[in-house]
Amino acid sequence: MGTPSNYALRLPRSLKTGAEQVAREDGTTLNQFIVSAVAEKLAALKTADYFTERAQRGDVQAAMALLNRAGGQPPTEDDRLASKTVTTTSSMRPEAC
Protein backbone atom coordinates (compact mmCIF):
# COMPACT_ATOMS: atom_id res chain seq x y z
CA MET A 1 0.00 0.00 0.00
CA GLY A 2 2.97 2.30 0.38
CA THR A 3 4.09 4.61 3.13
CA PRO A 4 1.14 6.19 4.91
CA SER A 5 0.96 9.95 5.06
CA ASN A 6 -1.16 12.21 7.21
CA TYR A 7 -3.60 14.77 5.89
CA ALA A 8 -5.81 16.97 8.02
CA LEU A 9 -9.25 16.66 6.52
CA ARG A 10 -12.01 19.17 7.15
CA LEU A 11 -15.45 17.65 6.71
CA PRO A 12 -18.80 19.30 7.31
CA ARG A 13 -20.24 17.90 10.53
CA SER A 14 -23.16 16.19 8.76
CA LEU A 15 -20.84 14.46 6.28
CA LYS A 16 -18.52 13.28 9.06
CA THR A 17 -21.47 11.99 11.08
CA GLY A 18 -22.80 10.09 8.07
CA ALA A 19 -19.37 8.63 7.28
CA GLU A 20 -18.90 7.56 10.91
CA GLN A 21 -22.27 5.84 10.89
CA VAL A 22 -21.57 3.93 7.68
CA ALA A 23 -18.10 2.95 8.90
CA ARG A 24 -19.53 1.71 12.20
CA GLU A 25 -22.23 -0.30 10.39
CA ASP A 26 -19.52 -1.76 8.14
CA GLY A 27 -17.39 -2.68 11.16
CA THR A 28 -14.47 -0.49 10.17
CA THR A 29 -12.85 2.75 11.24
CA LEU A 30 -13.64 6.19 9.87
CA ASN A 31 -10.10 6.35 8.51
CA GLN A 32 -10.47 3.08 6.60
CA PHE A 33 -13.85 4.18 5.26
CA ILE A 34 -12.34 7.42 3.94
CA VAL A 35 -9.35 5.56 2.44
CA SER A 36 -11.74 3.17 0.66
CA ALA A 37 -13.95 6.02 -0.54
CA VAL A 38 -10.99 7.91 -2.00
CA ALA A 39 -9.68 4.73 -3.66
CA GLU A 40 -13.11 4.02 -5.19
CA LYS A 41 -13.39 7.58 -6.50
CA LEU A 42 -9.92 7.44 -8.05
CA ALA A 43 -10.73 4.11 -9.70
CA ALA A 44 -13.98 5.50 -11.11
CA LEU A 45 -12.24 8.58 -12.51
CA LYS A 46 -9.43 6.53 -14.04
CA THR A 47 -11.97 4.15 -15.58
CA ALA A 48 -13.93 7.03 -17.09
CA ASP A 49 -10.70 8.52 -18.47
CA TYR A 50 -9.71 5.15 -19.95
CA PHE A 51 -13.02 4.69 -21.75
CA THR A 52 -12.99 8.30 -22.99
CA GLU A 53 -9.49 7.80 -24.42
CA ARG A 54 -10.43 4.37 -25.81
CA ALA A 55 -13.55 5.77 -27.48
CA GLN A 56 -11.42 8.35 -29.30
CA ARG A 57 -9.43 5.52 -30.88
CA GLY A 58 -12.60 3.70 -31.93
CA ASP A 59 -13.64 3.37 -35.56
CA VAL A 60 -17.43 3.27 -35.85
CA GLN A 61 -17.39 2.38 -39.54
CA ALA A 62 -15.03 -0.55 -38.97
CA ALA A 63 -17.15 -1.79 -36.06
CA MET A 64 -20.35 -1.58 -38.11
CA ALA A 65 -18.68 -3.41 -41.00
CA LEU A 66 -17.67 -6.18 -38.60
CA LEU A 67 -21.17 -6.43 -37.14
CA ASN A 68 -22.85 -6.37 -40.54
CA ARG A 69 -20.62 -8.95 -42.25
CA ALA A 70 -22.12 -12.12 -43.62
CA GLY A 71 -22.47 -14.88 -41.08
CA GLY A 72 -20.42 -18.03 -41.15
CA GLN A 73 -21.38 -21.48 -40.03
CA PRO A 74 -24.12 -21.98 -37.43
CA PRO A 75 -22.90 -23.03 -33.97
CA THR A 76 -22.01 -26.69 -33.62
CA GLU A 77 -23.20 -28.81 -30.71
CA ASP A 78 -19.84 -28.17 -28.99
CA ASP A 79 -20.54 -24.43 -29.15
CA ARG A 80 -23.88 -24.64 -27.38
CA LEU A 81 -24.33 -24.24 -23.64
CA ALA A 82 -25.24 -27.31 -21.65
CA SER A 83 -28.84 -27.42 -20.47
CA LYS A 84 -27.85 -27.95 -16.82
CA THR A 85 -27.88 -25.02 -14.41
CA VAL A 86 -24.53 -23.45 -13.64
CA THR A 87 -23.98 -22.43 -10.02
CA THR A 88 -21.63 -19.70 -8.91
CA THR A 89 -19.13 -19.90 -6.12
CA SER A 90 -18.88 -17.30 -3.40
CA SER A 91 -15.61 -16.01 -4.87
CA MET A 92 -17.47 -14.99 -8.02
CA ARG A 93 -20.07 -12.85 -6.26
CA PRO A 94 -19.38 -9.08 -6.24
CA GLU A 95 -19.65 -8.83 -2.45
CA ALA A 96 -16.79 -11.32 -2.09
CA CYS A 97 -14.42 -9.12 -4.10
Side-chain angles (χ1 to χ4, degrees):
M1 184 163 118
T3 306
S5 62
N6 294 328
Y7 179 79
L9 181 63
R10 293 183 185 98
L11 291 173
R13 186 179 310 263
S14 60
L15 188 56
K16 181 176 182 267
T17 301
E20 287 172 329
Q21 181 180 352
V22 172
R24 191 171 35 256
E25 291 168 358
D26 199 37
T28 187
T29 64
L30 176 61
N31 184 70
Q32 188 58 46
F33 174 78
I34 292 171
V35 168
S36 295
V38 170
E40 286 179 25
K41 181 65 176 184
L42 285 173
L45 292 171
K46 286 183 178 186
T47 300
D49 289 346
Y50 169 79
F51 282 113
T52 299
E53 186 273 329
R54 183 65 182 95
Q56 291 172 353
R57 293 188 286 144
D59 184 341
V60 174
Q61 289 180 334
M64 293 308 294
L66 178 71
L67 293 172
N68 291 326
R69 72 177 191 250
Q73 300 292 322
T76 65
E77 283 301 316
D78 292 344
D79 291 333
R80 298 181 194 279
L81 293 175
S83 60
K84 65 181 179 180
T85 304
V86 177
T87 58
T88 61
T89 63
S90 62
S91 63
M92 295 177 75
R93 287 191 217 127
E95 63 269 11
C97 297

